[in-house]
Amino acid sequence: MIVRCVQIISPATGAVVNDHPAVRIGAECPVLEVLTTADKVLLRVPDPIDSLPGAFDSPGLWDAAMFTVLSDRMPACWVAALDDGALSLAPREWQRPGFWEDFFDGVPTAVAEYDRCKAEILKQS
């Protein structure tokens, strides 16, 4: 799935803003995960800095209202999981409790799982 950013909604305030260091209007990016709750839909996309040498890949969750869908092709590695009323479409490895905490803490197994699954998603985009 590929999306294009058409507006920026601040994760902190929910207000539409002109810019944000982690996302750009007009940027096209792959969707790594879709997360839905009763009141919102979030897309996990890689920050644009992940193409810079040595930059830490910090995939963020963004309001789906920020994007328009360019390609609705879903990666084969996505599975649906329901947890506490939230529905996630993502690789099974990312849906285990604590995965994102481990990833952002730099736990090697979580980072390796992220890198492998992200490469698979990008290949299928």
Side-chain angles (χ1 to χ4, degrees):
M1 176 179 260
I2 304 290
V3 295
R4 177 182 297 130
C5 181
V6 294
Q7 67 178 343
I8 300 172
I9 299 173
S10 169
T13 65
V16 175
V17 296
N18 292 328
D19 58 13
H20 190 283
V23 68
R24 294 182 311 273
I25 292 176
E28 296 179 9
C29 43
V31 175
L32 304 175
E33 176 182 18
V34 177
L35 180 65
T36 65
T37 64
D39 60 347
K40 62 185 158 191
V41 177
L42 301 172
L43 304 180
R44 188 177 304 274
V45 299
D47 283 353
I49 61 164
D50 69 350
S51 61
L52 298 174
F56 180 71
D57 184 358
S58 181
L61 280 171
W62 296 94
D63 190 317
M66 292 174 39
F67 303 95
T68 186
V69 176
L70 300 178
S71 167
D72 60 1
R73 182 175 177 196
M74 289 182 33
C77 64
W78 278 7
V79 296
L82 187 60
D83 182 31
D84 229 11
L87 175 67
S88 170
L89 298 174
R92 184 175 312 280
E93 294 87 342
W94 298 358
Q95 295 174 343
R96 72 168 171 76
F99 171 79
W100 288 111
E101 291 82 358
D102 288 349
F103 172 78
F104 286 112
D105 286 343
V107 174
T109 54
V111 172
E113 286 174 345
Y114 172 77
D115 289 341
R116 183 181 56 75
C117 293
K118 178 184 173 188
E120 188 175 341
I121 291 168
L122 294 177
K123 185 171 61 173
Q124 295 178 22
S125 295

